Each structure stands twice: as C-alpha cells, then as structure tokens.
Amino acid sequence: MDIKNKVALVTGAGKGIGRAISLALAREGANVAVVSRTAKDLHSLSREIGDVGRKALIIEGDVTRESVIRGFIKETATKFGGIDILVNNAGVGRFGRIESLSTQDWDDMFETNLRAMFLCIREALPHLKKKEESIVVNIASLAGKNAFATGAGYAASKWGVMALSKCLLLEERDAGVRTIAVCPGSVDTRFFAHESLPNPNREKILKAEDVAQATIDAIKLPQRAMVSEIEIRPTNP
Ligand code: NAP
C-alpha cells in the first residue's frame, strides 16, 4: 500500500508503540486519527504530526466503552473521508499469579486488549471494505504465543488477539482487507515498567520505533502480499 494520503486510525496512540506507529504513518503521508484517554499526550502528538505536514484528528476516549468506539470510527470516516488503516494498539498488562489476580485486573485486560479490538474491527469494517485496499494491524505480543508465570490474564487476552486476527484474515482477505498481527517481545515503554516483570536492560530491549518500522514495512508491501504475523524481539536482551 502506498500510505500517502491514506487515513489511519490508531488506538492507544498517546504513548509508546501507538505513538511511534502514528508518527511513522504520518511521515509516510497518512492523516491520522489518534485515540487514547490522556488529552495532553494527544495534543503533543498532534503537533508532531502537523510538523511533518499531515493532519491529526484528536479523539480523547476510552476504548472499553462501545459507544465511544462507535463515535470515533464514525467521526474519523466523516471528517477524513473513510478509513484505510486501522491500528488496534491500546492494551494494558496486569501481572500476578492466578491465585492472586483480581477479577478487576482480568476484566481490564480482556476489555481493553480483546473486546475493544473486536468492537473497533466490527465498526470499522464497513469503511475498510469500501476501499480497494485496506489494512487492520492488531498489536498482540509474543505473550500471544507463549506462556509465563504471572501472565495468565495477559497471555490469555493476547492469545485471543491472535485467534481474532486469524479469523479476520480468513473472513475478509477476499474483500481486500489485509490483517497483520504484530507480536513484539520486550519494548522500552511505560508498559514494561511493571514491578512484577523482570527488570529489563533498557539499552538492549526494543524501542517503540523498531516495532513501528517493522509494521510500516509490512503495510507498504503490495496488496498481493500479506505479512500475516510479525514476531519482533530483542536480539540479545
Ligand atoms: P504504553 O506505553 O502503556 O501505551 C499504551 C497506550 O494505550 C497509551 O497511550 C494509553 O493511553 C492507551 N490506552 C490504554 N488503555 C486505554 C483505553 N482503555 N482506552 C484508550 N487508550 C488506552 O504501552 P505500550 O508498550 O506502547 O503498549 C502498546 C501495545 O503493545 C499494547 O497492546 C501492549 O500489550 C503491546 N505490547 C507491549 C510490549 C512491551 O514490552 N511494551 C510487548 C508486547 C506487546 P491512556 O492511558 O492515556 O489512555
């Protein structure tokens, strides 16, 4: 896909991987609708998108609310004239052994990481399918293919993301919708600061920009070529 003048919508765009992908898309020439809950992150991101000559649509919203999702999909399509690229990135991690993991933490992960992704895809599909070429990028994790102690809720939600991505690919490939599931290992973001995760060597783990670059490279392939999964991990953590 030639990203120039395309419309992208990125959830969880204010920080970390979502922010890096939003900026990388803008640098390639996309106008980007950016969604997350913290207004000041979105305003600074919008300025950076403006600095590279593209438009940003700021949407302060919580993806766990279905009405909010319906609203921002509609607003993006109306104000930007459709949607070509949907990046489902918003996600949270709550870690703890199963015997002590709270119901609230379990629900937070499933509502943000999986339910919101399903709702965004369902609501965006009518717009994506109006285009000859369109793309859904789902940010999963290597935890979506592996298991680890204290990761039950997080890994289960990300395994769900992988299943959702595979079903979407099979259902919509003939309509011209490519689906890319991105599975990063440890990335140096606020997310990885959780006290129950092993303390990473921040110099050696991935940067959000690495994940963005791999994602952009896959998007830019011609329509006939679908990178259905990206595994990206630190070389020597
Ligand atoms: P991050 O730095 O914590 O950024 C997460 C972004 O999502 C923030 O902008 C946050 O903004 C937004 N967000 C969270 N809950 C939201 C909600 N309910 N509604 C709207 N926005 C919400 O984390 P990250 O590392 O960039 O993570 C991004 C994705 O990558 C997640 O899906 C994560 O599971 C995945 N991932 C991360 C790693 C890693 O090592 N960092 C590895 C593999 C996969 P607000 O709080 O302002 O809403």
Side-chain angles (χ1 to χ4, degrees):
M1 173 185 278
D2 179 0
I3 297 174
K4 196 162 189 335
N5 294 321
K6 296 292 192 298
V7 174
L9 188 156
V10 182
T11 68
K15 301 182 178 77
I17 295 169
R19 187 181 187 93
I21 291 178
S22 300
L23 281 169
L25 285 165
R27 286 194 195 101
E28 294 288 338
N31 295 320
V32 193
V34 290
V35 182
S36 65
R37 293 167 300 185
T38 308
K40 76 171 174 16
D41 290 343
L42 296 176
H43 286 285
S44 68
L45 174 60
S46 164
R47 278 193 295 277
E48 285 191 61
I49 290 173
D51 288 346
V52 298
R54 307 311 304 179
K55 287 189 214 142
L57 176 62
I58 292 179
I59 299 160
E60 203 185 316
D62 183 342
V63 297
T64 63
R65 295 181 49 211
E66 184 169 354
S67 59
V68 169
I69 290 175
R70 283 184 201 276
F72 67 65
I73 298 281
K74 195 170 167 200
E75 188 182 348
T76 304
T78 307
K79 293 201 172 143
F80 276 167
I83 303 174
D84 303 278
I85 302 166
L86 169 66
V87 181
N88 288 302
N89 163 79
V92 292
R94 312 262 190 262
F95 302 95
R97 295 173 66 88
I98 295 166
E99 63 185 355
S100 58
L101 190 66
S102 71
T103 312
Q104 185 64 57
D105 282 348
W106 179 276
D107 289 347
D108 283 350
M109 286 187 279
F110 272 76
E111 283 176 15
T112 313
N113 302 357
L114 190 54
R115 179 177 180 273
M117 184 177 282
F118 154 65
L119 292 172
C120 287
I121 293 167
R122 191 188 66 195
E123 296 304 313
L125 270 174
H127 303 287
L128 296 166
K129 289 171 78 170
K130 281 188 192 146
K131 307 285 181 166
E132 262 173 45
E133 304 179 14
S134 57
I135 299 203
V136 177
V137 175
N138 292 333
I139 304 299
S141 170
L142 288 180
K145 308 177 115 192
N146 297 291
F148 59 100
T150 79
Y154 184 67
S157 72
K158 293 296 188 178
W159 280 65
V161 166
M162 296 307 287
L164 174 61
S165 303
K166 217 152 237 175
C167 295
L168 175 67
L169 183 160
L170 294 171
E171 289 180 14
E172 300 298 349
R173 64 193 300 182
D174 59 357
V177 182
R178 289 187 288 160
T179 300
I180 306 174
V182 181
C183 301
S186 306
V187 187
D188 184 10
T189 66
R190 177 191 68 155
F191 177 95
F192 210 76
H194 197 282
E195 76 269 0
S196 82
L197 292 173
N199 202 5
N201 180 337
R202 292 192 173 270
E203 294 307 310
K204 290 187 150 190
I205 62 174
L206 298 167
K207 300 285 176 211
E209 291 71 23
D210 304 332
V211 180
Q213 188 180 328
T215 305
I216 296 292
D217 288 348
I219 292 174
K220 283 170 72 175
L221 280 168
Q223 175 67 8
R224 63 177 176 271
M226 173 156 50
V227 176
S228 48
E229 282 182 23
I230 298 173
E231 285 193 16
I232 176 168
R233 65 188 81 229
T235 305
N236 183 18

